[in-house]
Amino acid sequence: MSIEITAIDWVDNGVTLLDQTLLPLEEVNLRITTVTQMIDAIQRLAVRGAPALGVAGAYGVVIAMDEGAREDWTSSKLETVVDSLRDARPTAVNLAWAVNQVREIIPQGREAVLAAALEIAAADKKSGTDMGNVGADWLIAKLGNKKLNLLTHCNTGSLATTGTGTALGVIKELHARGNVNEVFADETRPLLQGSRLTAWELAKCQIPYRIQPDGAAAMAILSGKVDAALIGADRIAVNGDTANKIGSLGVALACHVAGIPFLVVAPESTIDRSMNDGSQIHIEIRGDDEVTHVGGRQVAPHGAKTFNPAFDVTPSKFVSVVITELRAYDIAGGETL
Ligand code: MRU
């Protein structure tokens, strides 16, 4: 069943974002017409997920040009503002990648930059459909044409992209082919992208699911409840080391021990070909409040220190395959990207 969820769109010379901080209880669109608003939306995760961040960055450059024209910015002020947009979050390569792609075109004028940004959004949408097919074909070839129990972590669907998604897009395609029994969605502490966003998408698509605390993932996997796990990625190094939402590494380790496939699903634009391995990936560390408070209420002692990395890096030796819109890379077989 295909459903329309639009996380980010270019409308009437500005960006419309579905505010993901309010889902699933409220569906509110945000109107973004300044770079400050866009950076704020990115940093508080109103828009999130690597491919959607890329699209937000590309549209953000057009917004910067329009704002600069209104406010009479110098070209060096425009460059500084575009740098801040590029650096709004550090781990997902798609943000810097997309901003760098379109800023090259600034000398050609605003319409050319907008056309390039719209092209990035359209390509992302198409890549989701293609990844869905590559990933579904790979899993069915690997595990047989049967109903599967699948585990996923974080949100990698329409809310994280302009199309069907990456890992969740594969799950949707498998469901369309009649190959999904049930999805185990990790709740994804601390910001609950799994229970708030993935569950919302799965429910809309009428895909059977259950939410589990992140700590239940290893037990679900080792007790044979899960046939395969699928995650997205924020940055993939050439050797297949993969940065993704914190908790992905634990899922990968459990899959490795259980001997079940662990799939990384991401567009080619998420591969950072300047990095040979994941050791140089900049991991975003987020604030204490995300850990010490739940739903705005304090649940830890005053002054408690935290360790709150937004992402972890799964070494390639625990990755079975990387699925992109082009093909399946056999990481377990020693292939690189
Ligand atoms: O902090 P977030 O919500 O932006 O983290 C998102 C993830 O880790 C996703 O798994 C990743 O970006 C892939 S989205 C298709």
Side-chain angles (χ1 to χ4, degrees):
M1 180 193 183
S2 125
I3 47 141
E4 272 306 316
I5 296 172
T6 305
I8 179 165
D9 205 5
W10 182 262
V11 182
D12 294 336
N13 292 320
V15 170
T16 301
L17 297 178
L18 179 56
D19 186 347
Q20 298 190 34
T21 66
L22 302 177
L23 289 173
L25 300 181
E26 290 176 64
E27 294 180 32
V28 175
N29 279 322
L30 293 173
R31 183 78 188 143
I32 305 290
T33 54
T34 70
V35 178
T36 305
Q37 290 169 345
M38 183 62 94
I39 290 174
D40 177 62
I42 289 171
Q43 291 182 335
R44 60 186 190 84
L45 275 57
V47 59
R48 45 147 299 282
L53 288 174
V55 174
Y59 288 153
V61 175
V62 185
I63 286 174
M65 290 179 79
D66 288 348
E67 205 180 347
R70 284 197 305 273
E71 307 283 329
D72 213 12
W73 290 348
T74 61
S75 55
S76 91
K77 162 92 179 176
L78 179 62
E79 288 296 322
T80 307
V81 167
V82 171
D83 284 349
S84 319
L85 178 66
R86 179 198 60 202
D87 300 336
R89 290 187 77 194
T91 306
V93 70
N94 308 60
L95 175 58
W97 172 83
V99 168
N100 288 337
Q101 291 271 315
V102 301
R103 79 187 306 175
E104 294 280 309
I105 301 167
I106 289 177
Q108 296 171 37
R110 188 255 191 203
E111 291 311 308
V113 174
L114 175 58
L118 290 168
E119 176 53 35
I120 285 175
D124 175 58
K125 184 168 187 168
K126 176 169 183 335
S127 77
T129 308
D130 294 344
M131 278 182 272
N133 283 312
V134 175
D137 289 349
W138 189 91
L139 258 179
I140 290 170
K142 185 87 181 167
L143 298 179
N145 192 359
K146 60 181 185 183
K147 282 196 179 289
L148 299 169
N149 291 310
L150 302 168
L151 185 148
T152 193
H153 192 76
C154 196
N155 172 268
T156 61
S158 300
L159 290 169
T161 66
T162 55
T164 181
T166 61
L168 196 51
V170 174
I171 291 172
K172 290 175 188 172
E173 177 58 26
L174 285 165
H175 175 68
R177 297 184 190 187
N179 291 106
V180 174
N181 181 54
E182 191 173 41
V183 177
F184 288 72
D186 283 355
E187 66 175 352
T188 317
R189 279 279 293 155
L191 296 182
L192 304 177
Q193 288 91 333
S195 49
R196 293 189 306 104
L197 308 179
T198 298
W200 184 74
E201 279 197 44
L202 288 167
K204 274 192 184 280
C205 296
Q206 298 181 11
I207 300 176
Y209 73 91
R210 64 181 69 219
I211 299 167
Q212 62 185 1
D214 299 344
M219 178 180 177
I221 292 166
L222 291 182
S223 62
K225 290 184 168 37
V226 174
D227 298 303
L230 302 90
I231 64 159
D234 286 84
R235 194 181 291 251
I236 310 174
V238 170
N239 73 341
D241 289 356
T242 297
N244 192 55
K245 178 54 54 193
I246 190 72
S248 300
L249 172 57
V251 173
L253 290 170
C255 288
H256 186 73
V257 171
I260 67 168
F262 179 79
L263 289 76
V264 173
V265 187
E268 292 275 329
S269 57
T270 302
I271 301 168
D272 185 343
R273 297 193 192 275
S274 76
M275 286 192 180
N276 289 329
D277 62 48
S279 59
Q280 300 304 311
I281 297 177
H282 181 168
I283 298 293
E284 176 185 6
I285 304 290
R286 293 185 62 88
D288 295 333
D289 284 7
E290 290 180 357
V291 178
T292 57
H293 289 62
V294 173
R297 191 170 145 263
Q298 186 167 340
V299 294
H302 286 292
K305 290 202 275 187
T306 69
F307 175 53
N308 188 20
F311 304 95
D312 55 29
V313 178
T314 298
S316 58
K317 64 184 172 197
F318 303 125
V319 175
S320 308
V321 66
V322 171
I323 303 290
T324 76
E325 67 274 33
L326 299 182
R327 54 179 288 224
Y329 294 87
D330 181 11
I331 304 298
E335 195 175 4
T336 56
L337 296 162

